[in-house]
Short mmCIF file of all heavy atoms in Angstrom, two decimals:
data_model
loop_
_atom_site.label_atom_id
_atom_site.label_comp_id
_atom_site.label_asym_id
_atom_site.label_seq_id
_atom_site.Cartn_x
_atom_site.Cartn_y
_atom_site.Cartn_z
N ASP A 10 188.43 15.57 85.16
CA ASP A 10 187.71 14.61 84.33
C ASP A 10 188.44 13.26 84.33
O ASP A 10 189.53 13.15 83.74
CB ASP A 10 187.57 15.19 82.90
CG ASP A 10 187.06 14.19 81.89
OD1 ASP A 10 186.63 13.12 82.32
OD2 ASP A 10 187.16 14.49 80.67
N LEU A 11 187.85 12.27 85.00
CA LEU A 11 188.45 10.90 84.99
C LEU A 11 187.83 10.14 83.83
O LEU A 11 186.88 9.43 83.97
CB LEU A 11 188.16 10.19 86.34
CG LEU A 11 189.07 10.59 87.51
CD1 LEU A 11 188.72 12.03 87.99
CD2 LEU A 11 188.83 9.62 88.65
N GLY A 12 188.40 10.38 82.64
CA GLY A 12 187.86 9.76 81.42
C GLY A 12 188.35 8.34 81.25
O GLY A 12 189.24 7.88 81.96
N SER A 13 187.78 7.67 80.30
CA SER A 13 188.14 6.28 80.02
C SER A 13 189.52 6.19 79.32
O SER A 13 190.16 5.14 79.36
CB SER A 13 187.08 5.58 79.18
OG SER A 13 185.86 5.55 79.86
N ASN A 14 189.94 7.24 78.63
CA ASN A 14 191.25 7.28 77.95
C ASN A 14 192.24 8.17 78.73
O ASN A 14 193.36 7.73 78.99
CB ASN A 14 191.09 7.78 76.53
CG ASN A 14 192.37 7.62 75.73
OD1 ASN A 14 192.98 6.53 75.76
ND2 ASN A 14 192.80 8.64 75.04
N SER A 15 191.80 9.36 79.08
CA SER A 15 192.74 10.28 79.73
C SER A 15 192.09 10.86 81.03
O SER A 15 190.90 11.01 81.11
CB SER A 15 193.08 11.44 78.78
OG SER A 15 193.64 11.02 77.60
N PHE A 16 192.96 11.18 81.97
CA PHE A 16 192.53 11.96 83.12
C PHE A 16 193.01 13.39 82.87
O PHE A 16 194.17 13.56 82.48
CB PHE A 16 193.17 11.44 84.39
CG PHE A 16 192.54 10.22 84.96
CD1 PHE A 16 191.65 9.47 84.24
CD2 PHE A 16 192.89 9.77 86.24
CE1 PHE A 16 191.06 8.31 84.79
CE2 PHE A 16 192.31 8.63 86.77
CZ PHE A 16 191.42 7.87 86.07
N ARG A 17 192.14 14.39 83.11
CA ARG A 17 192.48 15.76 82.85
C ARG A 17 192.18 16.63 84.03
O ARG A 17 191.08 16.48 84.65
CB ARG A 17 191.75 16.27 81.62
CG ARG A 17 192.20 15.66 80.28
CD ARG A 17 191.32 16.15 79.14
NE ARG A 17 191.73 15.70 77.86
CZ ARG A 17 192.54 16.32 77.04
NH1 ARG A 17 193.01 17.53 77.39
NH2 ARG A 17 192.88 15.87 75.85
N LYS A 35 197.12 16.90 81.44
CA LYS A 35 196.57 15.68 80.84
C LYS A 35 197.45 14.49 81.04
O LYS A 35 198.66 14.58 80.84
CB LYS A 35 196.30 15.90 79.35
CG LYS A 35 195.79 14.62 78.61
CD LYS A 35 195.74 14.87 77.12
CE LYS A 35 195.43 13.57 76.40
NZ LYS A 35 195.42 13.74 74.93
N GLU A 36 196.85 13.39 81.54
CA GLU A 36 197.58 12.16 81.72
C GLU A 36 196.91 11.04 80.94
O GLU A 36 195.67 10.80 81.18
CB GLU A 36 197.68 11.78 83.19
CG GLU A 36 198.45 12.77 84.06
CD GLU A 36 199.95 12.69 83.80
OE1 GLU A 36 200.42 11.67 83.21
OE2 GLU A 36 200.65 13.66 84.16
N ALA A 37 197.60 10.39 80.03
CA ALA A 37 196.99 9.33 79.20
C ALA A 37 196.98 8.01 80.04
O ALA A 37 197.85 7.18 80.00
CB ALA A 37 197.80 9.12 77.93
N VAL A 38 195.90 7.87 80.83
CA VAL A 38 195.76 6.74 81.74
C VAL A 38 195.29 5.47 81.03
O VAL A 38 195.64 4.40 81.41
CB VAL A 38 194.81 7.15 82.88
CG1 VAL A 38 194.51 5.96 83.78
CG2 VAL A 38 195.47 8.27 83.73
N ARG A 39 194.43 5.65 80.03
CA ARG A 39 193.81 4.54 79.28
C ARG A 39 193.14 3.53 80.23
O ARG A 39 193.45 2.35 80.24
CB ARG A 39 194.81 3.85 78.37
CG ARG A 39 195.33 4.76 77.22
CD ARG A 39 196.13 4.03 76.22
NE ARG A 39 195.32 3.06 75.53
CZ ARG A 39 195.78 1.86 75.08
NH1 ARG A 39 196.99 1.49 75.33
NH2 ARG A 39 194.98 1.07 74.42
N LEU A 40 192.30 4.07 81.12
CA LEU A 40 191.64 3.27 82.12
C LEU A 40 190.83 2.12 81.47
O LEU A 40 190.83 1.00 81.98
CB LEU A 40 190.73 4.17 82.98
CG LEU A 40 190.36 3.63 84.34
CD1 LEU A 40 191.53 3.46 85.22
CD2 LEU A 40 189.32 4.58 85.01
N ASP A 260 200.34 9.51 71.79
CA ASP A 260 199.35 9.08 72.79
C ASP A 260 198.03 8.76 72.14
O ASP A 260 197.21 8.02 72.71
CB ASP A 260 199.18 10.10 73.91
CG ASP A 260 198.64 11.43 73.38
OD1 ASP A 260 199.15 11.96 72.41
OD2 ASP A 260 197.63 11.89 73.98
N ARG A 261 197.74 9.25 70.94
CA ARG A 261 196.50 8.99 70.24
C ARG A 261 196.63 7.76 69.34
O ARG A 261 195.56 7.24 68.92
CB ARG A 261 196.03 10.18 69.42
CG ARG A 261 195.74 11.44 70.10
CD ARG A 261 194.66 11.31 71.18
NE ARG A 261 193.42 10.70 70.75
CZ ARG A 261 192.34 10.54 71.50
NH1 ARG A 261 192.40 10.95 72.76
NH2 ARG A 261 191.27 9.95 71.06
#
Side-chain angles (χ1 to χ4, degrees):
D10 167 12
L11 282 69
S13 297
N14 188 48
S15 302
F16 283 11
R17 291 175 176 268
K35 174 186 174 184
E36 295 288 342
V38 172
R39 295 189 67 214
L40 200 64
D260 64 309
R261 296 303 309 184

